[in-house]
């Protein structure tokens, strides 16, 4: 689980953060906090599906479910059956 | 009474929130035509003050140009005030078709459709030409009207980091399975004044079989050697699939916009775009005004040349005076102050010195990047620019920011 959390955090940092020094934690509000542009959530969804060989239905890949690294990790864990 | 005290308080609280958050917008009342110098009542009830205007989108200085005003008068006399109908019922005049043809020729595209505004063009175009089998890949700093249009469309959304071509390429690869891929960008970004790398974007679109849409509202009429826009500047005339633009800025400054590009896409907008189908089009006097603007700009580059000269002078002299500017080569010249309060104080002091400019801060621009956005016009004469520069230097000295680095300014005022 720790590994998933860090992989997601690293992906979010590279994909969304303009300023690499900006603070990003497992609980940073990504979408509601304005860090992540909701238009590109599809990239994050595709990344998770490819990396973890899972299929996330659209009704679960919501802005709420993707709002923090912790929440994203929980979602991935659920679909991995862990 | 449905509008009960409880409901009213919901809205008064919301308005108070805007005021407390420092994002409540206040309008200044202008008692003159739009021009290099205007007469402003501010605050409401104050005596009129004559100020130099450096915050209008009046790039070519045509908003009150006598030739344009005369053409609009003629249009009013010949074709009336309004149409009282949408285009497809009984709202299309010969001059609407003439204007569409002239825009097509000016921009070097295949066809054009008019919209009540560029906001409407952007709101309608995506839904009209894309489906849920397609993808829209937009630059992360595109204009709010494009964002709204994208939201109205069922196609998949994605975005790339501002002007980052490697990131755009990754996204084009990621979505290679989509039926249509549409890359979306502004031509000139209105807050920073930088230009999209259209040459590189077109090359990527050709490589990955994608279409490209450019909103050239802050470019049409003056960017490029003959003012055709960003596609001319970047050497990709004829290669942009969709251009959206406005007649409310450089091209006369009144109102109206359009979608110009591949003829099938334009025709689909005519059949399906909701802001086109369910709203009156541009009023006859404005249509006549824009036709005269395009006729003039097709004959001579005099006004865009003067604008370029003015903007270069302004940028160079602000730099020499020791201000920090966003780099660029357009008539949008942002003077960076970084701190929100400093940007407001600076604008207030400029106004006292007879210069009308606006301070922008978060959330309009990113946190810590507050600025005075200056916009130069062909209507500015050298004495306007010299006086405005003098005011900037005087206020800059007051706050002791001239010749200072970003770190030094933020150390004094915060960011």
């Amino acid at each position: 689980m720790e590994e998933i959390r860090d992989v997601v955090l690293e992906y979010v940092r590279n994909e969304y953060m303009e300023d690499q020094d900006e603070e990003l934690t497992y609980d940073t509000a990504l979408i509601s906090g304005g860090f992540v542009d909701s238009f590109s959530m599809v990239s994050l969804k595709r990344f998770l599906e490819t990396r973890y060989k899972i299929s996330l239905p659209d009704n679960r890949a919501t802005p709420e479910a993707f709002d923090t690294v912790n929440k994203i990790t929980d979602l991935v864990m659920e679909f991995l059956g862990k | 009474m449905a509008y009960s005290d409880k409901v009213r308080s919901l809205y008064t609280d919301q308005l108070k929130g805007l005021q407390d958050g420092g994002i409540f917008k206040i309008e200044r009342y202008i008692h003159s035509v739009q021009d290099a110098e205007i007469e402003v009542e501010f605050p409401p009830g104050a005596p009129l003050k004559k100020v130099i205007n450096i915050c209008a989108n009046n790039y070519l200085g045509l908003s009150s140009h006598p030739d344009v005003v005369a053409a609009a008068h003629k249009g009013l006399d010949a074709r009336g005030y309004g149409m009282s109908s949408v285009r497809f019922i009984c709202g299309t005049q010969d001059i609407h078709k003439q204007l569409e043809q002239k825009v097509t020729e000016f921009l070097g595209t295949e066809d054009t459709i008019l919209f009540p505004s560029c906001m409407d063009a952007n709101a309608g175009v995506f839904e009209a030409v894309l489906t849920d089998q397609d993808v829209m890949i937009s630059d992360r700093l595109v204009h709010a009207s494009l964002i709204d249009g994208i939201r109205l469309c069922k196609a998949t959304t994605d975005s790339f980091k501002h002007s980052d071509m490697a990131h755009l390429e990754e996204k084009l690869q990621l979505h290679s399975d989509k039926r249509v891929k549409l890359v979306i960008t502004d031509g000139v970004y209105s807050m920073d004044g930088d230009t999209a790398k259209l040459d590189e974007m077109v090359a990527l679109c050709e490589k990955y079989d994608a279409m490209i849409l450019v909103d050239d509202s802050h470019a049409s009429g003056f960017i490029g050697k003959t003012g055709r826009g960003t596609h001319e500047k970047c050497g990709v005339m004829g290669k942009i699939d969709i251009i959206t633009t406005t007649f409310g800025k450089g091209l006369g400054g009144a109102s109206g916009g359009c979608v110009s590009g591949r003829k099938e896409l334009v025709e689909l907008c005519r059949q399906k775009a909701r802001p086109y189908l369910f709203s009156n089009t541009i009023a006859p006097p404005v249509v006549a005004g824009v036709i005269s603007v395009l006729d003039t700009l097709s004959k001579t580059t005099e006004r865009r040349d003067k604008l370029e000269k003015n903007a270069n002078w302004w940028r160079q002299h602000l730099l020499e005076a020791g201000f920090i500017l966003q780099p660029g080569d357009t008539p949008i010249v942002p003077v960076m102050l970084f701190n929100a309060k400093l940007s407001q104080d600076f604008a207030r002091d400029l106004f006292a010195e007879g210069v009308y400019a606006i301070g922008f801060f978060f959330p309009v621009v990113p946190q810590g990047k507050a600025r005075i956005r200056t916009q130069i016009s062909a209507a500015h004469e050298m004495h306007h620019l010299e006086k405005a520069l003098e005011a900037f230097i005087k206020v800059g000295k007051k706050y002791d920011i001239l010749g200072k680095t970003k770190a030094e300014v933020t150390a004094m005022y915060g960011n």
Side-chain angles (χ1 to χ4, degrees):
Chain A
M1 178 161 167
E2 289 310 307
E3 194 242 349
I4 297 175
R5 214 185 294 280
D6 289 332
V7 168
V8 172
L9 186 88
E10 199 48 34
Y11 177 83
V12 167
R13 184 186 299 285
N14 290 334
E15 173 67 23
Y16 300 107
M17 298 307 206
E18 296 292 333
D19 180 355
Q20 293 295 316
D21 297 333
E22 208 151 19
E23 197 192 4
L24 175 67
T25 71
Y26 299 129
D27 288 312
T28 300
L30 301 173
I31 295 171
S32 59
F35 288 100
V36 170
D37 135 39
S38 60
F39 284 174
S40 57
M41 269 178 42
V42 64
S43 295
L44 176 54
K45 180 173 178 280
R46 284 198 167 196
F47 167 75
L48 298 171
E49 289 178 331
T50 311
R51 170 103 190 193
Y52 296 106
K53 299 185 176 51
I54 55 177
S55 175
L56 298 170
D58 287 345
N59 64 354
R60 297 298 307 279
T62 60
E64 292 75 27
F66 276 16
D67 204 30
T68 67
V69 170
N70 270 337
K71 285 183 181 174
I72 298 166
T73 307
D74 289 346
L75 189 71
V76 172
M77 294 286 288
E78 182 189 329
F79 279 82
L80 282 172
K82 289 187 179 172
Chain B
M1 184 176 67
Y3 200 64
S4 64
D5 288 350
K6 193 176 154 196
V7 172
R8 186 185 292 275
S9 72
L10 271 177
Y11 293 110
T12 51
D13 288 352
Q14 203 176 320
L15 290 166
K16 190 170 177 303
L18 294 177
Q19 279 165 335
D20 294 347
I23 52 172
F24 190 86
K25 291 176 272 301
I26 298 167
E27 294 175 356
R28 285 89 165 152
Y29 308 144
I30 298 171
H31 289 248
S32 59
V33 297
Q34 182 65 279
D35 212 342
E37 279 185 79
I38 52 176
E39 284 187 89
V40 180
E41 174 194 341
F42 184 74
L48 297 188
K49 187 175 170 71
K50 204 168 189 181
V51 291
I52 297 166
N53 189 359
I54 52 168
C55 59
N57 300 316
N58 186 20
Y59 296 112
L60 293 170
L62 296 171
S63 302
S64 55
H65 192 281
D67 294 351
V68 183
V69 173
H73 270 296
K74 267 192 183 171
L76 181 65
D77 290 339
R79 294 290 182 277
Y81 172 66
M83 290 307 296
S84 308
S85 169
V86 299
R87 285 282 298 266
F88 77 94
I89 297 180
C90 54
T92 300
Q93 289 173 321
D94 56 343
I95 56 172
H96 292 110
K97 293 311 292 177
Q98 274 172 36
L99 177 54
E100 287 175 342
Q101 181 57 34
K102 283 183 189 288
V103 172
T104 301
E105 286 163 16
F106 188 75
L107 297 179
T109 55
E110 294 177 8
D111 198 3
T112 299
I113 173 174
L114 303 179
F115 277 83
S117 69
C118 189
M119 171 92 206
D120 283 324
N122 289 340
V125 63
F126 300 106
E127 199 189 15
V129 304
L130 300 175
T131 72
D132 58 4
Q133 299 171 63
D134 308 323
V135 65
M136 305 172 282
I137 307 172
S138 55
D139 186 289
R140 287 192 182 154
L141 293 189
V142 292
H143 190 261
S145 56
L146 288 169
I147 291 172
D148 285 359
I150 291 168
R151 282 186 178 140
L152 289 168
C153 177
K154 290 188 176 68
T156 300
T157 60
D158 204 343
S159 66
F160 60 98
K161 292 177 187 173
H162 177 53
S163 238
D164 185 332
M165 294 300 107
H167 201 215
L168 171 59
E169 184 161 17
E170 276 175 34
K171 295 303 174 94
L172 285 165
Q173 288 166 347
L174 181 72
H175 297 290
S176 57
D177 56 334
K178 290 291 183 183
R179 188 191 69 148
V180 172
K181 298 173 280 295
L182 178 62
V183 174
I184 302 159
T185 181
D186 288 7
V188 169
Y189 283 82
S190 63
M191 278 298 148
D192 285 349
D194 58 320
T195 309
K197 298 167 186 162
L198 287 191
D199 45 351
E200 293 178 50
M201 294 174 94
V202 165
L204 283 174
C205 287
E206 285 173 350
K207 184 173 171 187
Y208 292 97
D209 191 24
M211 298 201 299
I212 182 165
L213 178 148
V214 181
D215 179 336
D216 230 10
S217 291
H218 286 274
S220 294
F222 52 95
I223 297 290
K225 210 162 32 169
T226 64
R228 264 55 178 180
T230 317
H231 56 320
E232 183 185 32
K233 179 180 179 178
C234 296
V236 287
M237 292 275 289
K239 294 191 172 183
I240 306 299
D241 304 295
I242 306 171
I243 296 171
T244 64
T245 193
T246 180
F247 308 126
K249 295 184 168 66
L251 298 177
S255 66
C258 67
V259 169
S260 191
R262 305 296 176 199
K263 61 185 180 192
E264 297 80 10
L265 306 180
V266 168
E267 190 55 45
L268 265 177
C269 285
R270 216 177 280 286
Q271 301 303 320
K272 291 174 67 178
R274 296 172 71 82
Y276 178 83
L277 293 175
F278 300 116
S279 177
N280 285 10
T281 191
I282 309 170
V286 176
V287 173
V290 183
I291 287 175
S292 87
V293 166
L294 290 176
D295 283 345
T296 306
L297 298 183
S298 301
K299 277 186 222 133
T300 169
T301 60
E302 197 183 325
R303 293 196 80 77
R304 62 81 56 207
D305 294 345
K306 184 178 174 196
L307 171 61
E308 188 173 64
K309 200 172 141 219
N310 280 353
N312 289 343
W313 187 95
W314 179 245
R315 190 177 283 279
Q316 185 198 328
H317 283 77
L318 283 174
L319 283 172
E320 282 171 11
F323 286 100
I324 301 171
L325 308 181
Q326 277 294 106
D329 60 353
T330 68
I332 299 170
V333 184
V335 180
M336 301 306 292
L337 299 171
F338 310 106
N339 174 269
K341 182 168 185 305
L342 179 60
S343 72
Q344 300 308 292
D345 292 345
F346 206 101
R348 183 200 59 220
D349 290 356
L350 283 174
F351 191 77
E353 295 297 326
V355 174
Y356 186 4
I358 298 287
F360 289 94
F361 55 96
F362 184 80
V364 178
V365 294
Q367 192 87 45
K369 290 193 176 171
R371 81 263 323 254
I372 302 276
R373 180 181 67 171
T374 65
Q375 290 168 285
I376 299 307
S377 169
H380 288 131
E381 300 300 340
M382 200 41 75
H383 66 90
H384 295 126
L385 297 178
E386 283 166 353
K387 190 179 168 205
L389 181 69
E390 212 174 284
F392 263 84
I393 291 172
K394 186 172 174 189
V395 180
K397 278 183 181 160
K398 175 181 167 183
Y399 291 102
D400 194 25
I401 60 164
L402 297 183
K404 295 282 197 302
T405 62
K406 176 186 174 184
E408 287 167 334
V409 175
T410 53
M412 282 190 283
Y413 296 98
N415 60 11

